[in-house]
Amino acid sequence: MKAEIKKVFEKGFFHLLGANGLILLAGFASQLFVAKFLNPSDIGAIRIMQTYVGLATTMCALGMNVSIVKLTAQQTNTKDQSAYLTISIVVASIVFLAVWLGLIGANYLNLISTDTQIKLLFPIYMVFLFPLAIQSVLGGYYQGINKIKQYAKLQSVIKFVSVLLIVLFTYFFHLNGYVWAVLLGGFVSLGFLFLSIPKENRMFVKPLDFSSKLNALWHLSKFALMTNFIGFLYSSLDILFINHFVLDLSVFGQYAFAITLISILNVIPQTIQQIAFPHFAGISNQYSRWKSTYSHYNKLNHLVTLFSLVFVYFVIPFMIDFVFDGKYHQSAFIYFRGLVIAWALNYMNNIKDTAVMGLGAFNYNFYISVVLLLLSIPLYYIVVSNLGMQGALYVKIALGSFAYLASWISFKIVSKKYFHGAA
């Protein structure tokens, strides 16, 4: 066991895990500062723009942030590695331009928002798509060329600089300052990441076999693209429908701030999943070990999730009320509490999904995502159009319950299939 931990440590896993935790905490802290300086309506505007950026980024990267890891890791020739990087950057840049123009057109037609301030800032904020998409590709490239430790250290520095820019610009220039700080931080981060790649690994080459390398990238990335996009769209539907049916940004800002509070909790299931996944993948052909590992992590995940639910449900709202002098009272005591219940239902079966992925059955989790998406669209439309944001909470909790049940059913089916009825 000690030898396995040492091996994982040397590969930079814990460095990256620690950096991810630091990044999440720093981002969360910056959002709290931003919430202190801005009005709830500004928080609502930020959340709307962030949602569209998140959806569009998955499209711009085309899943190549995943495929580039595998393809570059298989290459020992730095010229071939650089070729994959060049192709990924070129493709992501072209797709960014097309997506950006499409979003600008949608904004002009009032399809994004009818709010005047959002309409003015949206074209500027969406430029952030470019550095975000390229950073995603570079992150995969660092992993592929086995520079994870270096990437983790860079991410920590980059996040600190970005948070500093956001807090300072927001304090002096409010919402406009926030938008420009995000944009500036994105390009500064992109420059840091690209220039820190070893020179021999970042040559802009003109590969003669451009088509074959692009096909190889796309062959692996298309499934990741669909999964990422559907997953993000499903998790963002409440924002999209509230944005359409609730016109008061100040009211929506209360809900948006609650989502910010929930984001910090995601580090718990993500950390457990990152630690558990290598174990499941390594013992996928040994039923008894796979089953006992699943039982151990599943119990741990349920206990940690339930404890977190009880603790934050009763403690966090009072803390937020105290820190913000009641500014986000409705957010903390109504929306946050509803969202944290939905969060717990979604993540309590996280280990079942991880165990299934360890067997290589990625398609089952994809099918669940598609079913949840198809179910959620009419539900959100009917309920939010009639009950507003309160209705979004009801749908979130209902979908969380369904997701819990679907993961349980999928786990039973997959385990029986892979172990020939032994489960």
Side-chain angles (χ1 to χ4, degrees), residues 10 66 74 102 111 115 129 139 156 171 260 320 352 375 382 414:
E10 288 173 350
V66 176
Q74 292 174 339
L111 298 177
D115 182 80
L129 278 174
S156 300
Y171 177 77
T260 301
I320 295 300
K352 283 184 172 61
L375 178 66
I382 295 169
V414 173

Side-chain angles (χ1 to χ4, degrees), residues 92-163:
S93 300
I94 294 172
V95 177
F96 154 74
L97 184 60
V99 171
W100 184 78
L101 289 173
L103 288 171
I104 299 311
N107 183 57
Y108 179 77
L109 296 173
N110 292 328
L111 298 177
I112 303 297
S113 175
T114 56
D115 182 80
T116 304
Q117 193 171 27
I118 292 178
K119 289 189 67 176
L120 289 173
L121 292 174
F122 190 79
I124 302 169
Y125 192 84
M126 287 303 108
V127 177
F128 182 49
L129 278 174
F130 178 75
L132 207 58
I134 304 301
Q135 282 182 61
S136 179
V137 170
L138 293 180
Y141 190 61
Y142 270 96
Q143 294 177 61
I145 63 174
N146 199 25
K147 299 291 181 182
I148 299 176
K149 290 183 182 179
Q150 183 182 355
Y151 176 68
K153 292 175 182 177
L154 285 169
Q155 283 288 75
S156 300
V157 174
I158 285 168
K159 193 60 185 181
F160 176 78
V161 173
S162 298
V163 167

Side-chain angles (χ1 to χ4, degrees), residues 367-415:
Y367 297 149
I368 291 175
S369 298
V370 172
V371 171
L372 287 172
L373 178 65
L374 294 176
L375 178 66
S376 63
I377 291 175
L379 269 178
Y380 274 119
Y381 181 84
I382 295 169
V383 179
V384 176
S385 63
N386 288 285
L387 300 177
M389 290 188 298
Q390 194 72 37
L393 287 182
Y394 299 148
V395 175
K396 276 275 190 184
I397 294 171
L399 289 171
S401 302
F402 184 81
Y404 187 92
L405 178 62
S407 293
W408 182 80
I409 294 173
S410 173
F411 176 81
K412 289 294 183 183
I413 293 173
V414 173
S415 57

Side-chain angles (χ1 to χ4, degrees), residues 81-264:
Q81 291 176 331
S82 297
Y84 281 119
L85 178 63
T86 300
I87 293 169
S88 298
I89 290 176
V90 169
V91 172
S93 300
I94 294 172
V95 177
F96 154 74
L97 184 60
V99 171
W100 184 78
L101 289 173
L103 288 171
I104 299 311
N107 183 57
Y108 179 77
L109 296 173
N110 292 328
L111 298 177
I112 303 297
S113 175
T114 56
D115 182 80
T116 304
Q117 193 171 27
I118 292 178
K119 289 189 67 176
L120 289 173
L121 292 174
F122 190 79
I124 302 169
Y125 192 84
M126 287 303 108
V127 177
F128 182 49
L129 278 174
F130 178 75
L132 207 58
I134 304 301
Q135 282 182 61
S136 179
V137 170
L138 293 180
Y141 190 61
Y142 270 96
Q143 294 177 61
I145 63 174
N146 199 25
K147 299 291 181 182
I148 299 176
K149 290 183 182 179
Q150 183 182 355
Y151 176 68
K153 292 175 182 177
L154 285 169
Q155 283 288 75
S156 300
V157 174
I158 285 168
K159 193 60 185 181
F160 176 78
V161 173
S162 298
V163 167
L164 188 62
L165 285 172
I166 288 172
V167 172
L168 288 175
F169 276 54
T170 305
Y171 177 77
F172 287 107
F173 306 108
H174 306 293
L175 182 57
N176 287 346
Y178 174 86
V179 170
W180 284 106
V182 167
L183 194 57
L184 177 60
F187 279 101
V188 169
S189 301
L190 178 58
F192 265 117
L193 284 175
F194 182 77
L195 295 176
S196 297
I197 296 174
K199 191 173 182 179
E200 64 272 17
N201 288 104
R202 57 178 168 88
M203 298 180 291
F204 277 107
V205 297
K206 298 179 180 179
L208 296 176
D209 53 343
F210 183 96
S211 178
S212 64
K213 281 184 166 56
L214 178 59
N215 287 336
L217 283 164
W218 176 245
H219 176 72
L220 294 174
S221 68
K222 56 187 177 183
F223 190 78
L225 168 64
M226 291 188 293
T227 303
N228 292 341
F229 183 80
I230 288 175
F232 194 92
L233 178 60
Y234 167 71
S235 65
S236 304
L237 279 177
D238 56 333
I239 299 294
L240 297 175
F241 277 100
I242 290 172
N243 177 42
H244 181 75
F245 289 110
V246 180
L247 301 179
D248 190 339
L249 268 182
S250 181
V251 174
F252 173 61
Q254 296 285 339
Y255 187 91
F257 183 69
I259 293 176
T260 301
L261 297 176
I262 289 293
S263 65
I264 191 65

